Amino acid sequence: MRIFLDVGGHYGESLDIALDPRWGFDTLYSFEPSRTCQRLLRSFRDSRLTIVPAGLSNKQTTTTLYGSGLLGASVYADKTQSDARPAQETVALLRATDWLLANTSPDDEIFVKLNCEGSECDVLEDLLDSGAICRLTSVYVDFDVRKIPSQNHRQELVEQRLRDGQVHFVTPDTLAAPGGSAAMRKWLTQETPPRRTALQAAWRYRLGLHRPPYVWSTMVARSVLPGPLYEQAARRLGAQARRRQKAHSG
């Protein structure tokens, strides 16, 4: 099977790209510990998709997620958040090695996207230590750990271990892409051998029938509004604005 692991699902920005049938994924898992984000992710309509209501790490435990629901939410308290009063939430973490060995097989093609605000180093070190990393076909990793003062020294060490272990991985820098959607598409274009897809599935994706209404409206707004106007509207009307209003009214 060809499997996609979306580690750090947020509002489905990467998931929306990975669900394109051109990549030929048989199964997709999106790992997201924030309950706010989980509700939106569960609104994606695709039978191949499973939402895992937890983050991946180097052990199974519960911890505090700082900035829950924000794009930069992290289990590390010293990571700066975009919200002046970021929400905190107690969330579940799963050990990456345990989940991988229990839910995949050595014959699977496994593509992993890691964009999880510092936890990428916990995940990768755990898989390297256990040897389970050999199951991964290709890894896209955005080293958000560089944004965390107490943890940023780990990036260089983990990258060297990946190279020493001959793990196939890419970053926005190695892709010469700015990150986000552009880097994701470039990575998948380079790494996933093409598969023939059913015409119905291709049209369903092109029409956006898999998308939750919030994701659909966000994409339309982003395409028609000038950048500053879109950002202003997102701050006032977006999901995070509604979350803050609900918290204040409660």
Side-chain angles (χ1 to χ4, degrees):
M1 295 181 67
R2 186 176 292 177
I3 299 173
F4 182 81
L5 306 184
D6 177 26
V7 184
H10 193 238
Y11 288 166
E13 295 90 343
S14 298
L15 191 59
D16 187 61
I17 297 170
L19 286 169
D20 190 332
R22 82 174 83 171
W23 317 122
F25 291 119
D26 301 297
T27 303
L28 300 92
Y29 295 92
S30 184
F31 297 84
E32 176 52 57
S34 168
R35 284 191 291 272
T36 299
C37 298
Q38 291 165 17
R39 285 192 289 271
L40 180 61
L41 292 171
R42 291 192 181 101
S43 298
F44 276 88
R45 298 178 290 273
D46 195 299
S47 60
R48 299 171 296 162
L49 173 62
T50 298
I51 306 302
V52 183
L56 285 187
S57 188
N58 53 10
K59 59 186 175 182
Q60 181 168 329
T61 187
T62 58
T63 192
T64 299
L65 181 67
Y66 300 93
S68 178
L70 298 175
L71 187 62
S74 176
V75 299
Y76 291 101
D78 57 328
K79 184 181 182 299
T80 301
Q81 301 294 338
S82 59
D83 196 319
R85 292 186 294 175
Q88 297 183 17
E89 180 184 351
T90 300
V91 299
L93 298 179
L94 303 175
R95 186 188 176 205
T97 293
D98 293 344
W99 188 93
L100 192 68
L101 296 180
N103 293 277
T104 68
S105 74
D107 296 330
D108 291 330
E109 293 180 89
I110 304 174
F111 296 79
V112 181
K113 181 226 78 177
L114 289 162
N115 190 343
C116 41
E117 306 302 321
S119 292
E120 68 277 0
C121 284
D122 298 326
V123 171
L124 290 170
E125 286 178 342
D126 178 62
L127 295 174
L128 284 162
D129 290 343
S130 69
I133 203 160
C134 67
R135 287 204 179 184
L136 306 185
T137 304
S138 181
V139 180
Y140 169 89
V141 53
D142 196 337
F143 278 101
D144 296 315
V145 74
R146 68 188 183 281
K147 308 171 188 175
I148 305 171
S150 66
Q151 304 295 316
N152 56 22
H153 63 282
R154 299 171 67 190
Q155 177 177 350
E156 183 177 352
L157 298 173
V158 171
E159 286 196 77
Q160 188 58 53
R161 288 192 65 186
L162 292 171
R163 288 190 289 268
D164 292 344
Q166 298 184 323
V167 177
H168 184 62
F169 77 102
V170 300
T171 69
D173 288 339
T174 62
L175 289 169
S181 298
M184 274 282 299
R185 287 194 176 91
K186 188 171 184 179
W187 168 52
L188 291 175
T189 298
Q190 291 179 354
E191 301 296 331
T192 53
R195 283 185 173 179
R196 185 184 298 273
T197 59
L199 186 60
Q200 182 179 3
W203 273 108
R204 185 176 185 276
Y205 179 83
R206 298 293 176 264
L207 292 171
L209 300 181
H210 63 291
R211 295 187 181 110
Y214 175 79
V215 175
W216 176 262
S217 61
T218 298
M219 293 185 65
V220 172
R222 190 186 295 273
S223 66
V224 300
L225 294 177
L229 187 58
Y230 168 79
E231 292 175 5
Q232 182 180 10
R235 286 194 297 269
R236 295 185 61 186
L237 304 173
Q240 282 306 306
R242 294 198 300 272
R243 178 186 63 78
R244 288 193 294 268
Q245 291 169 0
K246 183 177 179 181
H248 295 333
S249 64

